mmCIF file with all atom_site columns, all heavy atoms in Angstrom:
data_model
loop_
_atom_site.group_PDB
_atom_site.id
_atom_site.type_symbol
_atom_site.label_atom_id
_atom_site.label_alt_id
_atom_site.label_comp_id
_atom_site.label_asym_id
_atom_site.label_entity_id
_atom_site.label_seq_id
_atom_site.pdbx_PDB_ins_code
_atom_site.Cartn_x
_atom_site.Cartn_y
_atom_site.Cartn_z
_atom_site.occupancy
_atom_site.B_iso_or_equiv
_atom_site.pdbx_formal_charge
_atom_site.auth_seq_id
_atom_site.auth_comp_id
_atom_site.auth_asym_id
_atom_site.auth_atom_id
_atom_site.pdbx_PDB_model_num
ATOM 1  N N   . ILE A 1 61 ? -4.116  -25.406 -70.165 1.00 0.00 ? 61 ILE A N   1
ATOM 2  C CA  . ILE A 1 61 ? -3.336  -24.173 -70.348 1.00 0.00 ? 61 ILE A CA  1
ATOM 3  C C   . ILE A 1 61 ? -1.991  -24.305 -69.620 1.00 0.00 ? 61 ILE A C   1
ATOM 4  O O   . ILE A 1 61 ? -0.966  -23.838 -70.096 1.00 0.00 ? 61 ILE A O   1
ATOM 5  C CB  . ILE A 1 61 ? -4.112  -22.944 -69.803 1.00 0.00 ? 61 ILE A CB  1
ATOM 6  C CG1 . ILE A 1 61 ? -5.392  -22.708 -70.606 1.00 0.00 ? 61 ILE A CG1 1
ATOM 7  C CG2 . ILE A 1 61 ? -3.235  -21.682 -69.829 1.00 0.00 ? 61 ILE A CG2 1
ATOM 8  C CD1 . ILE A 1 61 ? -6.332  -21.664 -69.994 1.00 0.00 ? 61 ILE A CD1 1
ATOM 9  N N   . SER A 1 62 ? -2.014  -24.985 -68.486 1.00 0.00 ? 62 SER A N   1
ATOM 10 C CA  . SER A 1 62 ? -0.816  -25.092 -67.646 1.00 0.00 ? 62 SER A CA  1
ATOM 11 C C   . SER A 1 62 ? 0.122   -26.217 -68.066 1.00 0.00 ? 62 SER A C   1
ATOM 12 O O   . SER A 1 62 ? 1.043   -26.552 -67.313 1.00 0.00 ? 62 SER A O   1
ATOM 13 C CB  . SER A 1 62 ? -1.233  -25.300 -66.192 1.00 0.00 ? 62 SER A CB  1
ATOM 14 O OG  . SER A 1 62 ? -2.102  -24.291 -65.801 1.00 0.00 ? 62 SER A OG  1
ATOM 15 N N   . THR A 1 63 ? -0.107  -26.828 -69.195 1.00 0.00 ? 63 THR A N   1
ATOM 16 C CA  . THR A 1 63 ? 0.725   -27.897 -69.777 1.00 0.00 ? 63 THR A CA  1
ATOM 17 C C   . THR A 1 63 ? 0.596   -29.240 -69.039 1.00 0.00 ? 63 THR A C   1
ATOM 18 O O   . THR A 1 63 ? 1.348   -30.163 -69.304 1.00 0.00 ? 63 THR A O   1
ATOM 19 C CB  . THR A 1 63 ? 2.251   -27.550 -69.874 1.00 0.00 ? 63 THR A CB  1
ATOM 20 O OG1 . THR A 1 63 ? 2.841   -27.697 -68.586 1.00 0.00 ? 63 THR A OG1 1
ATOM 21 C CG2 . THR A 1 63 ? 2.509   -26.163 -70.414 1.00 0.00 ? 63 THR A CG2 1
ATOM 22 N N   . LEU A 1 64 ? -0.346  -29.350 -68.114 1.00 0.00 ? 64 LEU A N   1
ATOM 23 C CA  . LEU A 1 64 ? -0.460  -30.591 -67.337 1.00 0.00 ? 64 LEU A CA  1
ATOM 24 C C   . LEU A 1 64 ? -1.328  -31.639 -68.037 1.00 0.00 ? 64 LEU A C   1
ATOM 25 O O   . LEU A 1 64 ? -1.275  -32.812 -67.694 1.00 0.00 ? 64 LEU A O   1
ATOM 26 C CB  . LEU A 1 64 ? -1.031  -30.301 -65.945 1.00 0.00 ? 64 LEU A CB  1
ATOM 27 C CG  . LEU A 1 64 ? -0.168  -29.387 -65.081 1.00 0.00 ? 64 LEU A CG  1
ATOM 28 C CD1 . LEU A 1 64 ? -0.895  -29.014 -63.811 1.00 0.00 ? 64 LEU A CD1 1
ATOM 29 C CD2 . LEU A 1 64 ? 1.165   -30.048 -64.749 1.00 0.00 ? 64 LEU A CD2 1
ATOM 30 N N   . LEU A 1 65 ? -2.127  -31.189 -68.984 1.00 0.00 ? 65 LEU A N   1
ATOM 31 C CA  . LEU A 1 65 ? -2.982  -32.108 -69.744 1.00 0.00 ? 65 LEU A CA  1
ATOM 32 C C   . LEU A 1 65 ? -2.788  -31.832 -71.223 1.00 0.00 ? 65 LEU A C   1
ATOM 33 O O   . LEU A 1 65 ? -2.677  -30.669 -71.617 1.00 0.00 ? 65 LEU A O   1
ATOM 34 C CB  . LEU A 1 65 ? -4.455  -31.837 -69.436 1.00 0.00 ? 65 LEU A CB  1
ATOM 35 C CG  . LEU A 1 65 ? -5.097  -32.457 -68.213 1.00 0.00 ? 65 LEU A CG  1
ATOM 36 C CD1 . LEU A 1 65 ? -6.549  -31.992 -68.145 1.00 0.00 ? 65 LEU A CD1 1
ATOM 37 C CD2 . LEU A 1 65 ? -5.033  -33.964 -68.255 1.00 0.00 ? 65 LEU A CD2 1
ATOM 38 N N   . LYS A 1 66 ? -2.768  -32.886 -72.015 1.00 0.00 ? 66 LYS A N   1
ATOM 39 C CA  . LYS A 1 66 ? -2.616  -32.704 -73.460 1.00 0.00 ? 66 LYS A CA  1
ATOM 40 C C   . LYS A 1 66 ? -4.017  -32.595 -74.086 1.00 0.00 ? 66 LYS A C   1
ATOM 41 O O   . LYS A 1 66 ? -4.828  -33.512 -73.918 1.00 0.00 ? 66 LYS A O   1
ATOM 42 C CB  . LYS A 1 66 ? -1.873  -33.912 -74.031 1.00 0.00 ? 66 LYS A CB  1
ATOM 43 C CG  . LYS A 1 66 ? -1.393  -33.735 -75.436 1.00 0.00 ? 66 LYS A CG  1
ATOM 44 C CD  . LYS A 1 66 ? -0.367  -34.805 -75.772 1.00 0.00 ? 66 LYS A CD  1
ATOM 45 C CE  . LYS A 1 66 ? 0.105   -34.636 -77.186 1.00 0.00 ? 66 LYS A CE  1
ATOM 46 N NZ  . LYS A 1 66 ? -0.600  -35.403 -78.156 1.00 0.00 ? 66 LYS A NZ  1
ATOM 47 N N   . PRO A 1 67 ? -4.284  -31.474 -74.780 1.00 0.00 ? 67 PRO A N   1
ATOM 48 C CA  . PRO A 1 67 ? -5.598  -31.367 -75.431 1.00 0.00 ? 67 PRO A CA  1
ATOM 49 C C   . PRO A 1 67 ? -5.805  -32.499 -76.435 1.00 0.00 ? 67 PRO A C   1
ATOM 50 O O   . PRO A 1 67 ? -4.849  -32.938 -77.075 1.00 0.00 ? 67 PRO A O   1
ATOM 51 C CB  . PRO A 1 67 ? -5.518  -30.023 -76.165 1.00 0.00 ? 67 PRO A CB  1
ATOM 52 C CG  . PRO A 1 67 ? -4.434  -29.254 -75.503 1.00 0.00 ? 67 PRO A CG  1
ATOM 53 C CD  . PRO A 1 67 ? -3.461  -30.279 -74.993 1.00 0.00 ? 67 PRO A CD  1
ATOM 54 N N   . THR A 1 68 ? -7.036  -32.941 -76.578 1.00 0.00 ? 68 THR A N   1
ATOM 55 C CA  . THR A 1 68 ? -7.342  -33.938 -77.608 1.00 0.00 ? 68 THR A CA  1
ATOM 56 C C   . THR A 1 68 ? -7.332  -33.245 -78.981 1.00 0.00 ? 68 THR A C   1
ATOM 57 O O   . THR A 1 68 ? -6.835  -33.788 -79.955 1.00 0.00 ? 68 THR A O   1
ATOM 58 C CB  . THR A 1 68 ? -8.744  -34.560 -77.343 1.00 0.00 ? 68 THR A CB  1
ATOM 59 O OG1 . THR A 1 68 ? -8.777  -34.980 -75.980 1.00 0.00 ? 68 THR A OG1 1
ATOM 60 C CG2 . THR A 1 68 ? -9.018  -35.732 -78.249 1.00 0.00 ? 68 THR A CG2 1
ATOM 61 N N   . GLU A 1 69 ? -7.881  -32.025 -78.982 1.00 0.00 ? 69 GLU A N   1
ATOM 62 C CA  . GLU A 1 69 ? -7.849  -31.202 -80.202 1.00 0.00 ? 69 GLU A CA  1
ATOM 63 C C   . GLU A 1 69 ? -7.708  -29.737 -79.817 1.00 0.00 ? 69 GLU A C   1
ATOM 64 O O   . GLU A 1 69 ? -8.044  -29.359 -78.691 1.00 0.00 ? 69 GLU A O   1
ATOM 65 C CB  . GLU A 1 69 ? -9.142  -31.376 -80.992 1.00 0.00 ? 69 GLU A CB  1
ATOM 66 C CG  . GLU A 1 69 ? -9.122  -32.557 -81.932 1.00 0.00 ? 69 GLU A CG  1
ATOM 67 C CD  . GLU A 1 69 ? -10.461 -32.749 -82.599 1.00 0.00 ? 69 GLU A CD  1
ATOM 68 O OE1 . GLU A 1 69 ? -10.952 -31.777 -83.199 1.00 0.00 ? 69 GLU A OE1 1
ATOM 69 O OE2 . GLU A 1 69 ? -11.004 -33.856 -82.490 1.00 0.00 ? 69 GLU A OE2 1
ATOM 70 N N   . GLY A 1 70 ? -7.250  -28.936 -80.767 1.00 0.00 ? 70 GLY A N   1
ATOM 71 C CA  . GLY A 1 70 ? -7.162  -27.494 -80.539 1.00 0.00 ? 70 GLY A CA  1
ATOM 72 C C   . GLY A 1 70 ? -5.759  -27.041 -80.182 1.00 0.00 ? 70 GLY A C   1
ATOM 73 O O   . GLY A 1 70 ? -4.848  -27.860 -80.005 1.00 0.00 ? 70 GLY A O   1
ATOM 74 N N   . GLN A 1 71 ? -5.587  -25.713 -80.122 1.00 0.00 ? 71 GLN A N   1
ATOM 75 C CA  . GLN A 1 71 ? -4.282  -25.131 -79.781 1.00 0.00 ? 71 GLN A CA  1
ATOM 76 C C   . GLN A 1 71 ? -4.438  -24.158 -78.619 1.00 0.00 ? 71 GLN A C   1
ATOM 77 O O   . GLN A 1 71 ? -5.447  -23.468 -78.514 1.00 0.00 ? 71 GLN A O   1
ATOM 78 C CB  . GLN A 1 71 ? -3.679  -24.323 -80.939 1.00 0.00 ? 71 GLN A CB  1
ATOM 79 C CG  . GLN A 1 71 ? -3.237  -25.129 -82.144 1.00 0.00 ? 71 GLN A CG  1
ATOM 80 C CD  . GLN A 1 71 ? -4.381  -25.296 -83.110 1.00 0.00 ? 71 GLN A CD  1
ATOM 81 O OE1 . GLN A 1 71 ? -5.153  -24.375 -83.345 1.00 0.00 ? 71 GLN A OE1 1
ATOM 82 N NE2 . GLN A 1 71 ? -4.515  -26.495 -83.651 1.00 0.00 ? 71 GLN A NE2 1
#
Side-chain angles (χ1 to χ4, degrees):
I61 295 170
S62 306
T63 78
L64 298 172
L65 276 179
K66 192 165 179 267
T68 309
E69 274 175 54
Q71 291 88 40

